[in-house]
Coordinates of all heavy atoms in Angstrom, one line a residue:
V1 N 120.2 -38.1 121.4 CA 120.7 -39.3 120.8 C 120.2 -39.3 119.3 O 121.1 -39.7 118.4 CB 120.1 -40.6 121.5 CG1 120.6 -41.8 120.8 CG2 120.7 -40.7 123.0
V2 N 119.0 -39.0 119.1 CA 118.5 -38.9 117.6 C 119.2 -37.9 116.9 O 119.5 -38.0 115.7 CB 116.9 -38.7 117.7 CG1 116.4 -38.5 116.2 CG2 116.3 -40.0 118.2
K3 N 119.3 -36.7 117.5 CA 120.1 -35.6 116.8 C 121.5 -36.0 116.4 O 122.0 -35.5 115.3 CB 120.1 -34.3 117.7 CG 120.6 -33.1 117.1 CD 120.4 -31.9 118.0 CE 120.8 -30.6 117.4 NZ 120.8 -29.4 118.3
D4 N 122.2 -36.8 117.2 CA 123.5 -37.2 116.8 C 123.7 -38.2 115.6 O 124.7 -38.4 115.1 CB 124.2 -37.8 118.1 CG 124.5 -36.8 119.1 OD1 124.5 -35.6 118.8 OD2 124.7 -37.2 120.3
R5 N 122.5 -38.8 115.3 CA 122.5 -39.8 114.3 C 122.2 -39.1 113.0 O 121.0 -38.5 112.8 CB 121.5 -40.9 114.6 CG 121.6 -41.6 115.9 CD 122.3 -43.0 115.7 NE 123.6 -43.0 115.1 CZ 124.7 -42.9 115.8 NH1 124.7 -42.5 117.0 NH2 125.8 -42.9 115.1
K6 N 123.1 -39.1 112.0 CA 122.8 -38.4 110.7 C 121.7 -39.0 109.9 O 121.3 -38.5 109.0 CB 124.1 -38.4 110.0 CG 125.2 -37.6 110.7 CD 126.5 -37.6 109.8 CE 127.6 -36.8 110.6 NZ 128.9 -36.7 109.8
L7 N 121.3 -40.2 110.4 CA 120.3 -40.9 109.5 C 118.9 -40.2 109.6 O 118.1 -40.3 108.6 CB 120.2 -42.4 110.1 CG 119.3 -43.3 109.2 CD1 120.0 -43.6 107.9 CD2 119.0 -44.6 110.0
F8 N 118.7 -39.5 110.7 CA 117.4 -38.8 110.9 C 117.4 -37.3 110.6 O 118.5 -36.7 111.0 CB 116.9 -39.1 112.3 CG 117.0 -40.6 112.8 CD1 117.9 -41.0 113.6 CD2 116.1 -41.5 112.2 CE1 117.9 -42.3 114.1 CE2 116.1 -42.8 112.5 CZ 117.0 -43.2 113.5
P9 N 116.4 -36.7 110.1 CA 116.4 -35.3 109.8 C 116.2 -34.6 111.2 O 115.7 -35.1 112.2 CB 115.1 -35.1 108.9 CG 114.3 -36.3 109.1 CD 115.3 -37.4 109.5
P10 N 116.7 -33.2 111.4 CA 116.5 -32.6 112.6 C 115.2 -32.4 113.1 O 115.1 -32.4 114.4 CB 117.2 -31.2 112.2 CG 118.0 -31.4 111.0 CD 117.3 -32.5 110.3
M11 N 114.2 -32.4 112.3 CA 112.9 -32.2 112.8 C 112.4 -33.3 113.7 O 111.7 -33.2 114.7 CB 111.9 -32.2 111.6 CG 110.4 -32.1 111.9 SD 109.3 -32.7 110.6 CE 109.5 -34.4 110.7
I12 N 113.0 -34.6 113.4 CA 112.6 -35.7 114.3 C 113.2 -35.5 115.7 O 112.4 -35.7 116.7 CB 113.2 -37.0 113.7 CG1 112.8 -37.3 112.3 CG2 112.9 -38.3 114.6 CD1 111.3 -37.5 112.1
A13 N 114.3 -35.0 115.9 CA 114.8 -34.7 117.2 C 114.1 -33.6 117.9 O 113.8 -33.7 119.1 CB 116.3 -34.2 117.0
H14 N 113.6 -32.6 117.3 CA 112.9 -31.6 117.8 C 111.5 -32.1 118.3 O 111.0 -31.7 119.4 CB 112.6 -30.4 116.9 CG 113.9 -29.6 116.5 ND1 114.7 -29.2 117.4 CD2 114.4 -29.4 115.2 CE1 115.8 -28.6 116.8 NE2 115.6 -28.7 115.5
M15 N 110.9 -32.9 117.5 CA 109.6 -33.6 117.9 C 109.7 -34.4 119.1 O 108.8 -34.4 120.0 CB 109.0 -34.3 116.7 CG 108.5 -33.4 115.4 SD 107.9 -34.3 114.1 CE 106.2 -34.8 114.8
I16 N 110.7 -35.2 119.2 CA 110.9 -36.1 120.3 C 111.3 -35.1 121.6 O 110.9 -35.6 122.7 CB 112.1 -37.1 120.1 CG1 111.6 -38.1 118.9 CG2 112.5 -37.8 121.3 CD1 112.7 -39.0 118.5
A17 N 112.0 -34.1 121.4 CA 112.3 -33.3 122.6 C 111.0 -32.7 123.1 O 110.8 -32.7 124.3 CB 113.1 -32.1 122.1
V18 N 110.0 -32.3 122.2 CA 108.7 -31.8 122.7 C 108.0 -32.9 123.5 O 107.4 -32.7 124.5 CB 107.9 -31.3 121.5 CG1 106.5 -30.9 121.9 CG2 108.6 -30.1 120.8
G19 N 108.1 -34.1 122.9 CA 107.4 -35.3 123.5 C 108.0 -35.5 125.0 O 107.3 -35.9 125.9
E20 N 109.3 -35.5 125.1 CA 109.9 -35.7 126.3 C 109.6 -34.6 127.4 O 109.4 -34.9 128.5 CB 111.4 -35.8 126.2 CG 111.9 -37.1 125.4 CD 113.4 -37.2 125.3 OE1 114.0 -36.1 124.9 OE2 113.9 -38.2 125.5
E21 N 109.5 -33.4 126.9 CA 109.2 -32.3 127.8 C 107.7 -32.3 128.3 O 107.4 -31.9 129.4 CB 109.4 -30.9 127.1 CG 110.9 -30.6 126.9 CD 111.1 -29.4 125.9 OE1 110.2 -28.8 125.6 OE2 112.3 -29.1 125.5
T22 N 106.9 -32.8 127.5 CA 105.5 -32.9 127.8 C 105.1 -34.2 128.4 O 103.9 -34.4 128.8 CB 104.6 -32.6 126.6 OG1 104.8 -33.5 125.5 CG2 104.9 -31.2 126.1
G23 N 106.0 -35.2 128.4 CA 105.7 -36.5 129.0 C 104.8 -37.3 128.0 O 104.1 -38.3 128.4
R24 N 104.8 -37.0 126.7 CA 104.0 -37.7 125.7 C 104.9 -38.2 124.5 O 104.5 -37.9 123.3 CB 102.9 -36.7 125.2 CG 101.9 -36.3 126.3 CD 101.2 -35.1 126.0 NE 100.3 -35.3 124.9 CZ 99.5 -34.3 124.3 NH1 99.7 -33.1 124.8 NH2 98.7 -34.5 123.3

């Protein structure tokens, strides 16, 4: 969802993906 929003840089989507995978 974050990746699809052009307002946020790609790094934000990657960091959230790591958080979702680790449950943190």
Side-chain angles (χ1 to χ4, degrees):
V1 174
V2 171
K3 191 175 181 180
D4 290 340
R5 305 255 61 83
K6 295 180 181 179
L7 189 70
F8 309 109
M11 181 200 72
I12 303 298
H14 293 309
M15 291 179 72
I16 291 175
V18 172
E20 289 180 319
E21 289 171 6
T22 59
R24 298 161 64 185

